Amino acid sequence: MSDILVTENIVGDGMTALRKAFDVVFEPDLHEVPQELLKVISQFKALVVRNQTQVDGALVAAADHLRVIGRAGVGLDNLDLAAVSKAGIVVAYTPDQNSVSVAELALALMLGLARNICPADASTKSGDWLRHEFTGGELFNKTCGVIGMGRIGFLTAMRARAFGMDILVHDAFVHRDAAAVTQVCGQMVDMEELFARSDYISCHLPATEKTQQSLGYEMFSKMKTTAYFINTSRGQVVCEDGLIRALTERKLAGAALDVRQVEPPGRDQLTEMPNVILTPHIGAFTREAQVRVVQSVCQDVASVLIGEAACNYANFSRPNRK
Ligand code: MLT
């Protein structure tokens, strides 16, 4: 019987401290072979993952001694939370530790699209000096539509506001007078109106049964032909075929995707589009956020293992199982 199994690349001071105090088995590639993980999971009291390890009902059923799962990140779509909770296992996660980094990436992508930074960089490095061809636009006085006004949506709206943008918000669970909305002088609108009126749309939806492929051709074709779509949340919320069709038909000016339906996605039509920026799910990947994420999740895993409560938990702070 061992203490902790780590199935993804999670390193840093927080992990070093955990390794000093507990017996930690570090298998950063084990998420790629779920059948092997299934065989060994019963030997551990804690499992530490990012978003690649699929914690499904079968894994939970085999995890006889598991007391805590540390999720180094905020999205919980790789965990069957109902099954984990039913088994009495704590899910410790990091709801706020990487929000600023993701919001900053959303703004970086907006600016990248507005100022043609990626194509201008490629062209200039190839020896050209095409100033007029890369005339861009300002964010100032434009409208930013924020889909999903959780922590990251709010921080993105704050930053967009600092650039002098008007804010539209769509969120099925947030009241139009909620502090997050009024603080950014946001106007709450339905999804259709947000797509029709925004110059930049920043998506911050979690992947759930309801949001799955919820943004498709029908929505993208409502956009201004000068507008851009940015997704730093989850690729599963977008129907990529619909987005590709809308881009091909020039229903919108371009897009930036940090997240994809399937990751890694391989080459496809999006790869070939000069008005599309693609990044490999790096929203949370800043040095600062990773220090906070690893520190927080490792501390919470340690707390649960010594019988104390987790600070950041998605179900309950102490295990219900004996
Ligand atoms: C998150 O959910 O925290 C980020 O998308 C990064 C990750 O999934 O690990």
Side-chain angles (χ1 to χ4, degrees):
M1 186 77 182
S2 303
D3 292 328
I4 303 168
L5 175 63
V6 183
T7 54
E8 296 184 52
N9 190 14
I10 299 165
V11 293
D13 290 351
M15 184 55 78
T16 307
L18 198 64
R19 294 177 89 143
K20 278 195 188 132
F22 296 92
D23 167 21
V24 176
V25 176
F26 187 68
E27 292 282 357
D29 298 324
L30 194 55
H31 62 274
E32 289 169 8
V33 266
Q35 62 283 15
E36 288 304 314
L37 174 56
L38 198 62
K39 279 190 211 153
V40 299
I41 193 66
S42 66
Q43 299 164 28
F44 295 92
K45 294 183 212 156
L47 172 68
V48 185
V49 304
R50 284 192 195 276
N51 72 337
Q52 297 290 297
T53 310
Q54 297 307 314
V55 182
D56 56 14
L59 191 71
V60 173
D64 299 329
H65 302 288
L66 209 62
R67 297 164 63 81
V68 53
I69 296 172
R71 161 68 173 104
V74 61
L76 298 171
D77 40 290
N78 56 318
L79 313 183
D80 182 339
L81 192 58
V84 174
S85 301
K86 195 161 170 228
I89 301 165
V90 175
V91 174
Y93 75 137
T94 59
D96 211 17
Q97 286 74 352
N98 60 26
S99 309
V100 167
S101 293
V102 181
E104 287 187 3
L105 181 68
L107 262 295
L109 294 173
M110 264 185 234
L111 288 165
L113 290 165
R115 302 307 299 269
N116 303 306
I117 291 175
C118 297
D121 170 67
S123 158
T124 309
K125 284 178 181 163
S126 78
D128 289 333
W129 191 257
L130 305 175
R131 297 175 70 197
H132 294 283
E133 281 77 351
F134 292 119
T135 301
E138 292 179 342
L139 298 188
F140 180 63
N141 266 345
K142 300 295 189 310
T143 298
C144 176
V146 177
I147 308 174
M149 199 57 157
R151 295 176 190 85
I152 299 172
F154 170 66
L155 292 173
T156 302
M158 290 276 280
R159 283 152 180 75
R161 190 83 195 130
F163 274 86
M165 302 181 86
D166 295 322
I167 309 295
L168 298 179
V169 177
H170 177 78
D171 189 307
F173 303 100
V174 169
H175 191 271
R176 64 176 149 58
D177 296 329
V181 181
T182 54
Q183 245 177 291
V184 297
C185 306
Q187 185 191 349
M188 207 76 174
V189 291
D190 63 27
M191 194 75 103
E192 283 77 10
E193 189 173 346
L194 184 142
F195 269 81
R197 285 178 53 196
S198 300
D199 299 299
Y200 294 83
I201 296 175
S202 194
C203 179
H204 302 284
L205 289 176
T208 64
E209 241 170 64
K210 256 228 155 97
T211 60
Q212 189 80 7
Q213 306 240 343
S214 59
L215 306 178
Y217 178 76
E218 206 197 326
M219 282 298 159
F220 293 119
S221 59
K222 292 188 195 310
M223 288 175 71
K224 297 180 188 176
T225 54
T226 51
Y228 296 95
F229 175 77
I230 295 107
N231 190 9
T232 53
S233 60
R234 282 294 182 268
Q236 292 89 335
V237 305
V238 169
C239 166
E240 286 186 356
D241 288 343
L243 176 61
I244 291 169
R245 181 173 160 208
L247 283 163
T248 310
E249 294 174 4
R250 299 191 188 285
K251 302 281 187 197
L252 63 160
L257 306 177
D258 183 49
V259 288
R260 301 296 302 276
Q261 243 163 44
V262 176
E263 297 180 2
R267 296 189 72 81
D268 61 9
Q269 269 172 282
L270 290 167
T271 330
E272 308 304 323
M273 295 181 175
N275 54 344
V276 172
I277 300 177
L278 299 176
T279 48
H281 200 151
I282 53 171
F285 279 78
T286 59
R287 289 177 292 281
E288 295 84 350
Q290 285 309 307
V291 167
R292 290 191 294 264
V293 162
V294 175
Q295 192 80 40
S296 164
V297 80
C298 290
Q299 261 168 17
D300 271 343
V301 166
S303 295
V304 175
L305 288 183
I306 61 169
E308 290 179 1
C311 287
N312 295 297
Y313 48 91
N315 48 4
F316 26 77
S317 65
R318 295 167 197 262
N320 283 347
R321 58 175 23 171
K322 300 283 165 255

